[in-house]
């Protein structure tokens, strides 16, 4: 009798253990983290500093992290983009330095097609940007701050395919302008007037896809070297522009990217 009780308790304990494992397995989280380095052309115009357009070469570091659960139809993406450029005017006599940081956080609805080879995602991004432009050859309004917050509709298409007995993934991401807010001095207004004298003159400006038609796209190709790691090459185009307070500005970034993709499966409590 005692042995039967012990056997019954053992079976109940095993069932309870499996019952605990089931929700943990269901809560498994797929995480993809990618580090990119990029180099390419930069085109800058800021009429607060100069009427001239400046062109040169820049560097970009881009970090992307995507989290998804197999049983969920929504996933989240976070991207950190850091840019640094040095540019010159057409004569080559004047030069500027540009630096910027962009944070993108987004949520996407997923659709899986073609036996899971094609994945479509649609959603939106919250973009916060911070940076500056500094003219190294002028003393009259030599610097311009770049601060803004944007809501951007976004879509991603990912396709898995085989070639030469190797596994590849092609991915395209597009971010479009909608609405936002940005900082800008007014035409003829100095930073001394804004921050030392406290003379506000419409310096916090609401923006739309008409006054600030920012646009960003990312095209990449991955080669799966192993179950966890992939090698990536790609192109990043980030076109930030605005026309507010009788001033025009743009920073066009074109980058050739190389990167490493790491895929992880993490179990979490629901």
């Amino acid at each position: 009798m005692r042995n039967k009780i012990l056997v019954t308790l053992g079976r109940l304990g095993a069932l309870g253990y499996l019952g605990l494992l089931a929700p943990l397995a269901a809560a498994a989280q797929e995480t993809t983290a990618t580090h990119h380095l990029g180099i390419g052309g930069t085109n800058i115009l800021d009429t607060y500093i100069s009427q001239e357009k400046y062109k040169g070469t820049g560097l970009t570091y881009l970090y992307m992290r995507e989290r998804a659960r197999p049983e969920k139809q929504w996933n989240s993406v976070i991207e950190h983009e850091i840019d640094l450029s040095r540019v010159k005017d057409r004569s080559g006599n004047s030069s500027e330095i540009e630096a910027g940081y962009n944070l993108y956080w987004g949520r996407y609805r997923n659709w899986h097609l073609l036996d899971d080879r094609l994945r479509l995602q649609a959603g939106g991004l919250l973009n916060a940007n911070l940076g500056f432009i500094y003219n190294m050859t002028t003393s009259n309004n030599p610097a311009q701050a770049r601060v803004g917050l944007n809501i951007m509709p976004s879509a991603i298409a990912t396709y898995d395919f085989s070639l030469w007995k190797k596994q590849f993934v092609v991915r395209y991401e597009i971010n479009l302008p909608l609405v936002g807010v940005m900082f800008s001095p007014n035409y003829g207004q100095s930073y001394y007037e804004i921050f030392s004298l406290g003379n506000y003159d419409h310096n916090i400006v609401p923006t739309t896809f008409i006054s600030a038609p920012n646009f960003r796209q990312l095209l990449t190709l991955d080669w799966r070297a192993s179950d966890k790691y992939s090698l990536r090459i790609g192109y990043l185009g980030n076109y930030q522009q605005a026309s507010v307070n009788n001033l025009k500005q743009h920073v066009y970034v074109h980058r050739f990217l190389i990167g490493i993709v790491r895929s992880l499966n993490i179990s979490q409590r629901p």
Side-chain angles (χ1 to χ4, degrees):
M1 184 68 173
R2 181 181 178 183
N3 290 337
K4 289 182 179 180
I5 293 174
L6 291 175
V7 170
T8 302
L9 290 174
R11 289 176 178 174
L12 290 174
L15 289 173
Y17 179 71
L18 292 175
L20 287 173
L21 286 180
L24 287 176
Q29 180 173 272
E30 297 179 354
T31 301
T32 302
T34 310
H35 299 269
H36 308 79
L37 288 177
I39 186 170
T42 303
N43 185 311
I44 294 175
L45 169 69
D46 194 309
T47 58
Y48 181 77
I49 300 176
S50 170
Q51 298 292 326
E52 284 286 336
K53 292 182 180 178
Y54 288 72
K55 296 181 180 180
T57 303
L59 300 173
T60 292
Y61 169 73
L62 174 62
Y63 172 78
M64 300 172 57
R65 188 177 185 91
E66 182 173 358
R67 295 178 178 177
R69 290 184 178 180
E71 75 280 4
K72 300 291 186 180
Q73 294 181 329
W74 290 84
N75 71 294
S76 61
V77 174
I78 187 168
E79 302 183 24
H80 301 272
E81 181 183 332
I82 300 173
D83 300 299
L84 179 63
S85 302
R86 181 165 180 173
V87 293
K88 293 186 177 183
D89 66 356
R90 288 174 293 179
S91 67
N93 297 323
S94 179
S95 60
E96 292 181 344
I97 293 177
E98 182 271 336
Y101 166 69
N102 282 274
L103 170 65
Y104 300 91
W105 181 85
R107 291 282 291 172
Y108 293 89
R109 173 71 160 80
N110 296 272
W111 293 270
H112 297 268
L113 307 170
L114 303 178
D115 296 326
D116 278 345
R117 287 184 291 125
L118 176 63
R119 179 187 178 196
L120 300 178
Q121 300 170 260
L125 290 171
L126 181 65
N127 165 228
N129 63 79
L130 176 67
F132 69 88
I133 300 171
Y134 179 74
N135 191 296
M136 302 174 66
T137 53
T138 182
S139 58
N140 182 32
N141 295 333
Q144 169 73 299
R146 300 174 58 225
V147 182
L149 187 68
N150 298 290
I151 297 174
M152 307 182 74
S154 180
I156 302 172
T158 307
Y159 183 71
D160 293 44
F161 65 96
S162 299
L163 187 64
W164 303 308
K165 297 182 179 180
K166 304 293 184 181
Q167 295 295 317
F168 296 89
V169 180
V170 61
R171 180 184 185 275
Y172 179 70
E173 174 183 341
I174 183 170
N175 313 137
L176 299 172
L178 185 59
V179 295
V181 63
M182 66 176 290
F183 165 81
S184 174
N186 216 317
Y187 182 80
Q189 183 185 28
S190 69
Y191 277 79
Y192 175 77
E193 293 178 78
I194 300 172
F195 296 107
S196 296
L197 302 181
N199 295 336
Y200 176 82
D201 188 10
H202 199 241
N203 302 124
I204 306 300
V205 187
T207 58
T208 67
F209 60 90
I210 297 175
S211 61
N214 297 325
F215 172 75
R216 181 174 180 261
Q217 60 179 342
L218 176 64
L219 176 64
T220 60
L221 176 66
D222 299 352
W223 168 55
R224 289 182 175 171
S226 67
D227 291 339
K228 289 187 177 181
Y229 291 96
S230 300
L231 299 179
R232 170 173 288 185
I233 59 172
Y235 165 77
L236 170 67
N238 197 347
Y239 322 111
Q240 298 187 349
Q241 50 195 346
S243 179
V244 297
N245 287 348
N246 297 308
L247 298 170
K248 293 182 179 181
Q249 61 176 262
H250 72 234
V251 177
Y252 300 150
V253 167
H254 304 275
R255 298 288 187 265
F256 170 75
L257 299 173
I258 57 172
I260 297 177
V261 185
R262 185 184 183 190
S263 301
L264 298 173
N265 289 322
I266 304 172
S267 295
Q268 293 187 342
R269 292 187 180 274

